[in-house]
């Protein structure tokens, strides 16, 4: 908690020194036009509906909370597979997002675009319209199939506010664990 306060104070101090202004209702915007979240979003959880290797039909849920005092909406989320033997590929035409969590689904959120880069193992989700501060949202990605090799798969989550020049905020890693058999590992429904 103290670290967050110190970090926020340090960013605010740097912004003031650079000729930027900060008010509770506006984002931090540096003199060069770069926009920052005042209070960054937070990765809440990452879960899969089924954790058996080779399974077809699973959905991976990534839940993010955008605090009320973020000062800027959430425009884009990038999900990057950092760890795991297999490269997981997604059916992006069937990607979706909604308010709430995987167990408490709310109103659907429009997606302007969902793209992937297989070389960098990243998926980019752009919201239309951007998500307002104070909301918890969940992104649902449907893999073509779960990985064929068991183990831990880590996905780095990065958030962006709207604008032409923005500072991304790394939210942390979502961890999914896949198993060779389904004994004791059942879907959460």
């Amino acid at each position: 908690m103290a670290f967050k306060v110190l970090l926020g104070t340090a960013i605010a101090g740097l912004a003031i020194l650079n000729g930027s202004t900060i008010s509770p209702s506006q984002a931090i915007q540096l003199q060069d036009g770069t926009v920052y979240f005042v209070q960054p979003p937070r990765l809440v959880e990452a879960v899969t509906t089924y954790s058996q290797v080779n399974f077809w039909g699973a959905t991976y849920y990534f839940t993010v909370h955008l605090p009320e005092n973020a000062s800027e909406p959430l425009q884009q989320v990038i999900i990057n597979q950092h760890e795991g033997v297999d490269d997981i590929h997604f059916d992006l035409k069937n990607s979706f997002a909604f308010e709430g969590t995987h167990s408490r689904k709310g109103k659907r959120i429009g997606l302007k675009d969902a793209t992937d880069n297989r070389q960098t193992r990243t998926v980019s989700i752009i919201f239309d319209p951007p998500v307002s501060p104070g909301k918890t949202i969940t992104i649902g990605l449907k893999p073509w199939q779960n990985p064929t090799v068991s183990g831990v798969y880590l996905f780095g989550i990065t958030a962006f506010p709207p604008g032409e020049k923005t500072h991304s905020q790394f939210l942390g890693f979502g961890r999914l664990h896949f198993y060779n058999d389904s004994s004791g590992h059942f879907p959460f429904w």
Side-chain angles (χ1 to χ4, degrees), residues 13-82:
L14 284 173
I16 291 168
L17 289 175
N18 286 324
S20 303
T21 59
I22 301 172
S23 79
S25 62
Q26 295 179 352
I28 297 172
Q29 185 169 6
L30 300 182
Q31 196 168 16
D32 69 357
T34 304
V35 176
Y36 288 75
F37 292 109
V38 169
Q39 179 69 37
R42 177 176 62 87
L43 176 63
V44 176
E45 69 178 344
V47 297
T48 179
T49 55
Y50 206 81
S51 58
Q52 184 177 2
V53 295
N54 293 316
F55 186 80
W56 294 80
T59 303
Y60 303 167
Y61 291 110
F62 300 92
T63 301
V64 172
H65 175 70
L66 184 61
E68 191 70 47
N69 60 344
S71 75
E72 281 292 312
L74 175 62
Q75 175 72 64
Q76 179 180 14
V77 170
I78 291 181
I79 300 169
N80 176 242
Q81 182 185 336
H82 279 265

Side-chain angles (χ1 to χ4, degrees), residues 7 15 17 19-20 24 29 33 37 57 67 76 84 86 88 99 101 103 121 126 162 164 174 180 182:
L7 180 61
L17 289 175
S20 303
Q29 185 169 6
F37 292 109
Q76 179 180 14
D86 284 349
I88 300 174
E99 291 181 21
T101 65
S103 59
R121 304 193 321 178
I126 299 175
E164 289 184 27
N180 283 323
S182 62

Side-chain angles (χ1 to χ4, degrees), residues 76-138:
Q76 179 180 14
V77 170
I78 291 181
I79 300 169
N80 176 242
Q81 182 185 336
H82 279 265
E83 194 170 302
V85 175
D86 284 349
D87 289 346
I88 300 174
H89 302 290
F90 296 97
D91 177 6
L92 295 180
K93 290 182 182 179
N94 287 311
S95 298
F96 56 94
F98 54 87
E99 291 181 21
T101 65
H102 74 275
S103 59
R104 300 192 79 169
K105 294 179 176 126
K107 183 176 93 172
R108 279 277 182 139
I109 296 172
L111 299 182
K112 180 178 182 181
D113 200 13
T115 58
D116 68 344
N117 181 325
R118 289 186 177 195
Q119 289 181 328
T120 60
R121 304 193 321 178
T122 59
V123 171
S124 172
I125 304 291
I126 299 175
F127 302 107
D128 184 28
V131 177
S132 301
K135 296 194 183 294
T136 296
I137 61 123
T138 299

